[in-house]
Structures are given as structure tokens and as C-alpha cells.
Amino acid sequence: GVLLKSDSGSTPASKHDSIDSASGLPSIKSAASWVAPNFMYLLVNIVLYKWHTKSNRERFQSIKCLKEMLRFLPSQDSPRYMPQIMSAVNNAMTSPSSPSDLLDSDYFSKLCLVAVTTLFDFIKIVTSHDSTEVGENLVSIVVTLYPLFDTTDDSTFRGQRFAKEKAAEMLEWLASGKGGDKLPPYFNEI
């Protein structure tokens, strides 16, 4: 295949890439060196592209892909992706994409859970580099999570209940200062 970006421009992937001798597959280091410079391209074209035409199952797969891509995102690069990650998570937290998806509400519940865990993973990456970036976006984070806490129906699906618990854990983590001692004062604005 052809790499989207590399140190010398677009070049074919070669046998010089780091190959894991046991599996014969590219190493994690090799994957990270490719994903990091191509993160925006992957985010837009795999996760966000035609979001509103995707079924909940496709959305679930897209957000799972984003969650895995975060493993390769250098923390120093993470703040610049805040708007796009927030957009992806916000899209995932909205209502099912079509009436037929309402029949598959379990996938929507799972989508909410993986979206919240992805957001939490991303916030941990960003705070490891610059916790003020998360603080400045705290209102957006809370607004994105609000649909989980705005449920009055006790019969929510298990995935949504777990998503709500994970969201509460994330907010507690941020408020406690575990993500950085600069974060708790931002909660005064909420």
C-alpha cells in the first residue's frame, strides 16, 4: 500500500518497516509511526465521513476504530484534535440514526458506552500533555455527556447505564484533580 504521509512524502510501504518476527505483522511502533502523522485523515475518513448515513452498527465500529487509533496518538499532538474528537463523541451520543435503528437500541447503548470510554481515553491523553486544554473545553465535555444524565426512564439499556457510570467516573476524575491540579477550578464555570 501507499502511505499517506511519511518523512519523505508518499512512499510505498516497504519491507524495511519494523516487522514482528513472531507474527510477521508490522510492529506496534511501525503502526504508531504511520497512524500519528495520518491521524486527521483517518479520523475524518473513517470515523466522521458520512456519519449521518451510517447505521448504529457502523457508528459503533467507527467509534471503536477511533478508540484504537488513540493508542497511537502522541500526547503532544492530542490537543489539536479536541474539536474533531468532541464532534465524533457528540454525534455518537445523539439519538439513533434512523427509525429502523430504534429496533436495534442495544447497539445505540453500546455506542454510547464506547463513545464515553473513548472520550475518557482521549481526555487522559490530553491531560498528560496539557490539562488546561481539557479545562477550557470542560463545558463542551459536560454538554456532550448531558444526554446520559437527562434520562428519567429507569428502564435504560445496560450499555447506557454503564456509559452513565463511566461518564460520572470521568467527571469525578477531572474534578478530583487526578487529571491535573489546574482542572478543578474550571468546574466553577459549570
Side-chain angles (χ1 to χ4, degrees):
V2 175
L3 294 176
L4 299 173
K5 288 185 183 176
S6 70
D7 294 336
S8 60
S10 294
T11 60
S14 69
K15 294 181 182 184
H16 301 289
D17 291 337
S18 302
I19 302 294
D20 179 49
S21 59
S23 69
L25 298 172
S27 68
I28 297 294
K29 183 178 178 184
S30 177
S33 70
W34 184 84
V35 171
N38 294 296
F39 192 84
M40 181 63 85
Y41 177 86
L42 295 168
L43 176 62
V44 169
N45 289 292
I46 294 175
V47 180
L48 298 173
Y49 183 68
K50 294 189 176 184
W51 180 266
H52 296 291
T53 64
K54 293 179 180 182
S55 70
N56 280 333
R57 289 176 187 204
E58 292 167 326
R59 290 174 179 190
F60 177 74
Q61 290 300 324
S62 293
I63 296 295
K64 275 181 46 180
C65 182
L66 173 59
K67 184 173 175 38
E68 292 303 314
M69 286 172 26
L70 290 176
R71 294 179 25 204
F72 305 112
L73 181 64
S75 62
Q76 67 272 16
D77 293 346
S78 61
R80 74 173 133 170
Y81 298 112
M82 181 69 79
Q84 293 84 8
I85 302 290
M86 290 302 300
S87 175
V89 171
N90 192 43
N91 286 340
M93 300 298 291
T94 59
S95 63
S97 59
S98 70
S100 63
D101 282 341
L102 290 173
L103 300 173
D104 199 8
S105 294
D106 191 43
Y107 258 100
F108 179 66
S109 297
K110 290 175 184 177
L111 174 61
C112 290
L113 177 58
V114 77
V116 171
T117 58
T118 300
L119 179 60
F120 198 4
D121 290 351
F122 180 67
I123 285 172
K124 287 177 181 177
I125 293 167
V126 175
T127 57
S128 73
H129 176 69
D130 182 11
S131 62
T132 58
E133 183 72 26
V134 172
E136 291 169 3
N137 287 281
L138 189 59
V139 171
S140 297
I141 292 167
V142 170
V143 167
T144 296
L145 298 174
Y146 183 76
L148 291 172
F149 298 105
D150 190 37
T151 57
T152 56
D153 184 8
D154 291 335
S155 65
T156 57
F157 290 94
R158 189 171 68 189
Q160 283 179 295
R161 189 172 62 248
F162 291 149
K164 187 177 192 175
E165 290 170 5
K166 184 55 96 173
E169 177 187 336
M170 176 178 34
L171 293 172
E172 288 172 5
W173 184 82
L174 290 168
S176 72
K178 291 179 183 173
D181 58 354
K182 297 176 185 172
L183 286 172
Y186 285 98
F187 279 88
N188 294 332
E189 297 174 18
I190 297 178

